[in-house]
Amino acid sequence: MTKSTATYWNVLSPQAQERWAPVKGLEGIAEELTLSIDEESGEYTKLTRFLPGADTTAFGGKTHLYPEEVFIVSGRLYDKAFEMWLEAGHYASRPPGELHGPFKTDVGCVVLEISFPNRVG
């Protein structure tokens, strides 16, 4: 089990825009870019970009059975479950089952996510 690797490249540059894809179900408000993935275990590292004005309130909060880590790279994002604005530099290591979201942003936000879907606990 090995995650994919890549040499240095600027994922936030205009030239990388074509690599971003709409988040399924959140088309028009969020995009994602997978940075690394282990096809066997399903573990991945990705960026999620919430566009300015994005609001996932209609979808409610979410939980999952596996742990994940998140780091706010830029912008800010409101997490209703925690009733707080997350800004660049905020980090969390979420345990399995922790409620997060729904989310909204006024200025947009880029989130680094490292997830471990086979570490169900």
Side-chain angles (χ1 to χ4, degrees):
M1 298 188 308
T2 303
K3 285 177 79 176
S4 57
T5 61
T7 57
Y8 288 116
W9 60 289
N10 187 336
V11 300
L12 300 176
S13 73
Q15 295 78 14
Q17 177 56 41
E18 64 193 36
R19 293 185 175 193
W20 290 81
V23 174
K24 195 173 191 174
L26 298 178
E27 294 85 353
I29 64 171
E31 302 168 330
E32 62 187 357
L33 174 62
T34 299
L35 301 174
S36 180
I37 189 164
D38 181 328
E39 297 290 347
E40 190 176 321
S41 71
E43 294 182 3
Y44 62 87
T45 301
K46 74 175 179 179
L47 291 173
T48 301
R49 177 168 52 198
F50 291 89
L51 303 177
D55 188 342
T56 67
T57 301
F59 304 100
K62 71 183 228 180
T63 64
H64 35 76
L65 299 175
Y66 54 87
E68 72 178 353
E69 296 175 79
V70 293
F71 178 78
I72 307 301
V73 176
S74 65
R76 66 187 209 146
L77 189 68
Y78 184 78
D79 186 334
K80 175 82 167 122
F82 290 90
E83 296 185 353
M84 69 181 291
W85 282 100
L86 308 172
E87 298 180 339
H90 272 104
Y91 166 82
S93 179
R94 293 185 180 134
E98 183 175 87
L99 178 66
H100 48 287
F103 303 105
K104 68 179 179 179
T105 180
D106 48 0
V107 297
C109 185
V110 176
V111 180
L112 176 68
E113 176 187 333
I114 304 167
S115 291
F116 308 93
N118 275 351
R119 297 186 194 182
V120 176

